[in-house]
């Protein structure tokens, strides 16, 4: 990732992607604000929103190409489980810790571009992308 991120928003390749973000605790607010300033987010669910996270995500899921969740991997896994269909239709799901130190591509590493987006977000936030896919571990090109 190159260029000045203060003057442009991060947008995945293709231009028609729809990134949504949500947080679960007050600790997530600072990072959500930072993401909102740096990434073209189509929708944000704040921890203080009255609508339950599961309901909000169920509404956003069909149109989202990427979901950025600020919180614990276990919480996000349970939240997305009922929404999962297949690797060609599900959005990329990335989990960020509230301090913005780690970006974990949880779902859609290759097909949905989660690993690529995770690396871009990590560079933007000065964070570490935690990539667990076997292609990345071997240094192979994902096909």
């Amino acid at each position: 990732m190159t260029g000045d991120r203060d003057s442009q928003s991060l947008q995945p390749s293709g231009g028609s992607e729809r990134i949504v973000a949500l947080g679960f605790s007050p600790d997530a607010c600072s990072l959500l604000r930072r993401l909102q300033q740096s990434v073209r987010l189509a929708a944000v669910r704040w921890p203080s929103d009255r609508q339950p996270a599961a309901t909000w995500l169920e509404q956003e899921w069909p149109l989202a190409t990427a979901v950025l969740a600020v919180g614990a991997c276990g919480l996000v896994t349970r939240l997305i489980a009922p929404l999962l269909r297949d690797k060609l239709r599900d959005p990329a799901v990335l989990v960020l810790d509230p301090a913005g130190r780690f970006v974990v591509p949880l779902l859609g590493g290759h097909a949905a571009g989660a690993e690529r987006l995770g690396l871009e977000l990590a560079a933007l936030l000065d964070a570490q992308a935690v990539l667990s896919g076997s292609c990345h571990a071997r240094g192979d090109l994902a096909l």
Side-chain angles (χ1 to χ4, degrees):
M1 195 157 81
T2 61
D4 179 20
R5 286 293 170 205
D6 292 333
S7 62
Q8 58 181 315
S9 292
L10 175 68
Q11 182 68 28
S13 305
S16 64
E17 283 80 5
R18 187 171 191 279
I19 301 173
V20 300
L22 69 162
F24 305 100
S25 72
D27 294 337
C29 291
S30 178
L31 183 56
L32 285 171
R33 279 192 291 277
R34 195 169 164 199
L35 288 169
Q36 197 173 37
Q37 292 172 355
S38 306
V39 180
R40 289 188 202 149
L41 298 176
V44 177
R45 185 211 172 262
W46 298 91
S48 60
D49 288 352
R50 296 206 184 274
Q51 185 179 38
T55 303
W56 182 90
L57 190 57
E58 185 177 2
Q59 292 170 351
E60 295 296 335
W61 189 265
L63 298 175
T65 57
V67 175
L68 308 180
V70 181
C73 286
L75 184 155
V76 176
T77 300
R78 286 179 179 84
L79 188 66
I80 67 172
L83 304 173
L84 298 176
R85 299 296 171 248
D86 66 62
K87 69 186 297 178
L88 298 178
R89 289 188 291 175
D90 293 331
V93 177
L94 296 95
V95 180
L96 297 86
D97 70 297
R101 294 174 301 200
F102 302 101
V103 179
V104 181
L106 188 64
L107 182 71
H110 302 303
E115 285 190 356
R116 177 194 45 78
L117 183 55
L119 290 169
E120 292 176 2
L121 284 169
L124 179 73
L125 299 170
D126 195 26
Q128 180 168 350
V130 181
L131 306 180
S132 61
S134 62
C135 288
H136 181 77
R138 289 190 315 264
D140 292 343
L141 179 62
L143 301 176

